[in-house]
Amino acid sequence: MASTLGLSKALHNMVNNGLTTQHFMLRPFQRADLKAFAAYRADPQVAKYQSWSDYSDSDAITFYEGMDYTQFGAAGNWFQLAIVSTAGPTLTKLVGDLALHFIDEQQVEIGFTIAPEYQGQHIAFEAVSALLDYLFIELHKHRVIAVTDTQNLACCRLLEKLHFRREAHYVKNTFFKGAWGDEYLYAMLKEEY
């Protein structure tokens, strides 16, 4: 088990410094991100497998004002991290986001959303890879999971490329946007990473 001081430093570093990948910074959201955030979340293709149908600027502001990064890492809480480009003409441009649900002290659920104009460019792969490094190496988490609609093939392909194990197929377990839907549960243990 990691020391409490080490975990505290790793959590503090994420909130204050973010994570840097070859092309991106993963960091807490800033007010300047909200216009782009609302724009891609309002896109019907992005919302297709998400819990929302419409997404407005006021939804983004409510989201931002409700996010308390001082509680980052606390069990039972969800947090969103911005994926921001750090190269080329899109310097500091929001290209997507990562969701983290600290289920308990040892398990985290993740999710990811990429703006349509940046999909298919390996952004989610690079961002989620860095996030897994952080969760397993820095925070010493035991298990990371992801739940996705079985029809979200791009998400399934990415999770499988990252070597997540498909652990469950929930059949018609969620009433979603007017119909019963199936979901897959993917998981990875620290020793499998």
Side-chain angles (χ1 to χ4, degrees), residues 4-97:
T4 304
L5 181 59
L7 287 177
S8 178
K9 284 182 179 178
L11 292 168
H12 177 79
N13 281 339
M14 171 60 84
V15 172
N16 291 303
N17 304 318
L19 295 176
T20 303
T21 73
Q22 184 176 356
H23 302 102
F24 306 101
M25 161 119 357
L26 314 178
R27 59 157 172 75
F29 267 81
Q30 299 172 357
R31 189 168 289 278
D33 300 325
L34 299 183
K35 195 66 137 172
F37 179 66
Y40 70 73
R41 280 194 163 207
D43 185 291
Q45 283 305 108
V46 171
K48 184 175 183 178
Y49 301 114
Q50 303 285 3
S51 60
W52 63 87
S53 293
D54 298 316
Y55 208 85
S56 66
D57 289 348
S58 65
D59 292 325
I61 292 166
T62 300
F63 153 83
Y64 176 74
E65 290 175 348
M67 192 70 47
D68 182 3
Y69 290 105
T70 65
Q71 297 298 309
F72 187 80
N77 291 313
W78 279 94
F79 298 92
Q80 238 44 44
L81 296 175
I83 305 171
V84 180
S85 175
T86 58
T90 58
L91 185 63
T92 71
K93 171 91 172 140
L94 180 71
V95 298
D97 62 271

Side-chain angles (χ1 to χ4, degrees), residues 115-133:
E117 64 269 30
Y118 299 105
Q119 291 177 5
Q121 299 178 36
H122 308 288
I123 293 168
F125 182 83
E126 186 174 329
V128 175
S129 295
L131 182 62
L132 291 172
D133 281 350

